Amino acid sequence: MIAFDYSSVNSISAAWEAKLKFPNAEFIAGGTNLVDLMKKGVTSPGKVIDISHLPLKSITEEKNGLRIGALATNADVAEHPTVRTKFPLLRMAILAGASVQLRNMATVGGNIMQRTRCPYFYDTAMPCNKRNPGSGCGAIDGYNRMHAVFGFSDSCIAVHPSDMCVALAALDTIVNTEGKKGKRQILITQFHRLPEKNPEKDTVLLADELIASVFIPENKFNKSYYLKIRDRQSFAFALVSVAVALHVEQGVITDSRLAMGGVAPKPWRLYTSEKLLNGKKITPELFREAGEEAMRDASAFKHNAFKIPLGKKAVTEALKRAVESSF
């Protein structure tokens, strides 16, 4: 880790002003991802701007949904009464994502902004367009078992690591940002970028912007489940994960939201599976069809072809568990 300057700010405007003044700076709050990246030399900011004292920790139930401050910890979100009762999918995803110790430190904004855990990204001796644009992608012809089957490009096949974001994507969450140019509201499904020709850019966030809060719209979902399939139960990253939120009346799915993790550079919404499910009577055959539809456009590499049949079965199983749930 190289030497760096440190400063702390007490307002959002001071935060983005400091970022504009020091382009090589990074914001830090819980630091559960940034510190690791700095230790390994993946990123080397000349200045670290501490935003942990900003007034962005509240979790507030509003008329049309729930607003969560960017600095609310994952632990506080998971245990909030409104999240427990009205947004259980989010709680399940957070609890699947990390240990108690990490949940106590990690923030909502930091979770959304965390970078891929691709081993080629973390190994500075290997080529990685996300870390060093133009150097190549070591994973394409390397060991790519954990990598994407959707949304990748010739420049990058890494996946987004967050569990929380998969649930937020399924819940049509809005990310609220602030910066020099003012405030923006961005659907989380549009917040993370696909790699295309600029894999080093993970999100649409501007250089001086920071996340202020997220807003989860009110919904009528009465069946939810988050299924995470991983190599070991002890908080490994997902091989495949599925977030399911359904509104079921008399055995008929009147509305649905599905998203997957571990399969793409961003949380991956399953719009065609949702369309297939809506208005249909629940049957095992319907859930199998939804699983098949979910993976219809998937494309594998040498070591991750197993993700396609696994994804089909995961979607089917997640739907089954959702309708059996009490939420």
Side-chain angles (χ1 to χ4, degrees):
M1 185 186 294
I2 67 167
F4 59 89
D5 292 331
Y6 168 90
S7 66
S8 178
V9 293
N10 294 305
S11 70
I12 294 177
S13 60
W16 60 254
E17 285 171 359
K19 192 70 162 56
L20 281 175
K21 188 176 181 181
F22 301 98
N24 191 32
E26 294 280 359
F27 293 131
I28 190 169
T32 57
N33 186 206
L34 179 61
V35 173
D36 281 346
L37 294 173
M38 292 172 67
K39 285 180 178 179
K40 293 181 179 294
V42 177
T43 186
S44 300
K47 188 180 186 67
V48 171
I49 303 167
D50 186 349
I51 60 171
S52 62
H53 301 294
L54 299 185
L56 300 175
K57 298 179 182 180
S58 62
I59 304 172
T60 309
E61 187 171 4
E62 299 181 356
K63 181 179 180 181
N64 298 316
L66 183 69
R67 187 173 302 277
I68 303 173
L71 295 180
T73 66
N74 285 3
D76 286 344
V77 174
E79 299 307 323
H80 194 274
T82 303
V83 175
R84 281 176 169 269
T85 57
K86 295 186 177 181
F87 304 97
L89 179 62
L90 177 57
R91 171 179 163 79
M92 284 186 273
I94 290 174
L95 295 182
S99 65
V100 173
Q101 292 89 340
L102 284 174
R103 294 199 300 268
N104 283 335
M105 289 296 296
T107 63
V108 168
N111 192 307
I112 294 171
M113 291 297 294
Q114 69 179 300
R115 308 208 68 188
T116 183
R117 264 45 177 208
C118 172
Y120 293 91
F121 174 69
Y122 268 80
D123 187 347
T124 57
M126 299 299 295
C128 173
N129 288 317
K130 189 175 284 294
R131 173 174 30 81
N132 184 17
S135 63
C137 175
I140 289 178
D141 295 318
Y143 187 60
N144 40 45
R145 180 174 178 270
M146 297 292 291
H147 291 74
V149 293
F150 294 112
F152 55 81
S153 73
D154 292 339
S155 299
C156 180
I157 64 172
V159 298
H160 193 267
S162 174
D163 290 286
M164 184 192 78
C165 288
V166 181
L168 292 179
L171 294 170
D172 295 319
T173 302
I174 297 168
V175 180
N176 300 294
T177 69
E178 294 191 31
K180 182 180 180 180
K181 294 183 178 180
K183 300 179 180 180
R184 288 201 294 165
Q185 295 182 331
I186 308 165
L187 281 172
I188 196 165
T189 50
Q190 298 173 6
F191 184 82
H192 297 99
R193 298 178 71 257
L194 296 179
E196 299 173 336
K197 295 182 180 180
N198 297 104
E200 73 278 10
K201 297 180 180 180
D202 293 340
T203 74
V204 299
L205 204 66
L206 301 178
D208 63 286
E209 282 184 307
L210 72 162
I211 298 171
S213 66
V214 298
F215 181 78
I216 309 176
E218 187 177 37
N219 63 69
K220 295 182 179 180
F221 301 128
N222 55 7
K223 301 291 181 181
S224 300
Y225 199 81
Y226 187 76
L227 177 65
K228 182 177 182 179
I229 299 173
R230 45 193 162 183
D231 284 324
R232 65 183 190 277
Q233 189 65 21
S234 181
F235 302 111
F237 292 100
L239 294 169
V240 170
S241 65
V242 184
V244 174
L246 306 173
H247 183 237
V248 178
E249 289 185 1
Q250 298 180 342
V252 175
I253 299 171
T254 63
D255 197 11
S256 64
R257 298 289 188 278
L258 282 78
M260 294 186 76
V263 295
K266 61 187 290 185
W268 198 252
R269 271 287 290 270
L270 303 178
Y271 295 108
T272 58
S273 291
E274 293 171 5
K275 184 177 180 181
L276 174 70
L277 291 167
N278 290 344
K280 302 285 181 60
K281 183 177 177 61
I282 292 171
T283 65
E285 292 75 22
L286 177 65
F287 289 169
R288 284 195 291 270
E289 289 176 19
E292 291 286 337
E293 182 62 34
M295 306 306 292
R296 185 176 301 280
D297 296 325
S299 181
F301 292 87
K302 182 177 180 180
H303 301 106
N304 70 348
F306 73 94
K307 284 193 176 187
I308 297 176
L310 180 62
K312 295 175 183 179
K313 292 179 180 179
V315 170
T316 301
E317 182 66 17
L319 286 164
K320 176 177 177 290
R321 295 191 188 188
V323 298
E324 293 172 350
S325 74
S326 59
F327 295 111

